[in-house]
Amino acid sequence: MDDSDEDQRLPHHREPKEYISLDKLAELGVLSWRLDADNYENDEELKKIREEQGYSYMDFCEVCPEKLPNYEEKIKNFFEEHLHTDEEIRYCVAGSGYFDVRDHNDKWIRVWVKKGGMIVLPAGIYHRFTLDTDNYIKAMRLFVGDPIWTPYNRPHDHLPARKEYIKNFLREEGGGQAVDAAA
């Protein structure tokens, strides 16, 4: 994505526009699925993913000015670069938003998650979230065991989750494009 300070809810494409594949995101540990958001209650693929990954906890979060208490403060906090010591799993059942993650060269990649998109950010990856210009997302939050939502704002490279992430996913390779991934 570009380095502009414009409204965080804009796409922030580089010029010319560049995209990366889901395989490149997977190299960073970011996993994704396209599911049937209109049928999430009975979706066999979602059930299979939850069983395989051990996602036992589930709830919903609606992010918009009308539904989220302390909206302005929360959206600012979501956009602060941070990591978690556990995976962050979000399944967009309505609306859309952007997850920004760092590539191998510490540049931002913007991932546009829309209705039906499920994304898993690995423990230890620096990231941030913002809505797009529609200002609305309803996301299913999944977790292994009891949820721990603690964000650790950058820098927190000393945490074991960060060290493990670096060991498993960040290696000196070429490429490292900072691009939008609107897949």
Side-chain angles (χ1 to χ4, degrees), residues 130-181:
T130 190
L131 293 173
D132 59 19
T133 54
D134 290 339
N135 279 328
Y136 179 78
I137 193 170
K138 180 177 181 180
M140 177 186 290
R141 301 186 299 182
L142 298 165
F143 206 84
V144 175
D146 292 329
I148 301 170
W149 309 119
T150 307
Y152 295 92
N153 291 348
R154 191 170 188 176
H156 265 84
D157 293 340
H158 65 282
L159 291 176
R162 180 63 183 167
K163 290 179 180 182
E164 190 70 16
Y165 177 77
I166 291 169
K167 182 178 116 187
N168 290 334
F169 298 107
L170 297 186
R171 43 200 175 275
E172 297 297 321
E173 292 182 354
Q177 300 170 323
V179 296
D180 283 66

Side-chain angles (χ1 to χ4, degrees), residues 1-2 4 8 12 77-82 88 98-102 108-110 121 125-130:
M1 64 183 285
D2 68 22
S4 167
Q8 70 193 37
H12 287 276
N77 288 340
F78 294 159
F79 198 63
E80 186 73 31
E81 184 175 7
H82 63 280
E88 181 167 333
Y98 296 113
F99 284 89
D100 299 338
V101 298
R102 294 286 189 176
W108 285 116
I109 297 172
R110 176 152 278 192
L121 304 180
I125 191 173
Y126 283 120
H127 66 282
R128 61 189 183 187
F129 172 80
T130 190

Side-chain angles (χ1 to χ4, degrees), residues 35-101:
L35 302 170
D36 181 3
D38 293 325
N39 188 35
Y40 66 84
E41 293 163 333
N42 302 306
D43 187 341
E44 289 301 319
E45 189 172 359
L46 176 60
K47 286 179 189 173
K48 180 181 172 189
I49 293 166
R50 288 187 66 183
E51 287 173 12
E52 288 174 353
Q53 302 294 326
Y55 300 148
S56 55
Y57 175 90
M58 183 268 292
D59 73 2
F60 290 91
C61 181
E62 282 187 279
V63 180
C64 65
E66 301 78 22
K67 302 252 180 169
L68 185 65
N70 301 316
Y71 170 80
E72 291 297 333
E73 178 185 337
K74 293 243 173 96
I75 202 74
K76 182 180 175 190
N77 288 340
F78 294 159
F79 198 63
E80 186 73 31
E81 184 175 7
H82 63 280
L83 61 79
H84 300 283
T85 56
D86 293 288
E87 289 179 324
E88 181 167 333
I89 305 106
R90 298 293 181 270
Y91 174 24
C92 180
V93 298
S96 51
Y98 296 113
F99 284 89
D100 299 338
V101 298

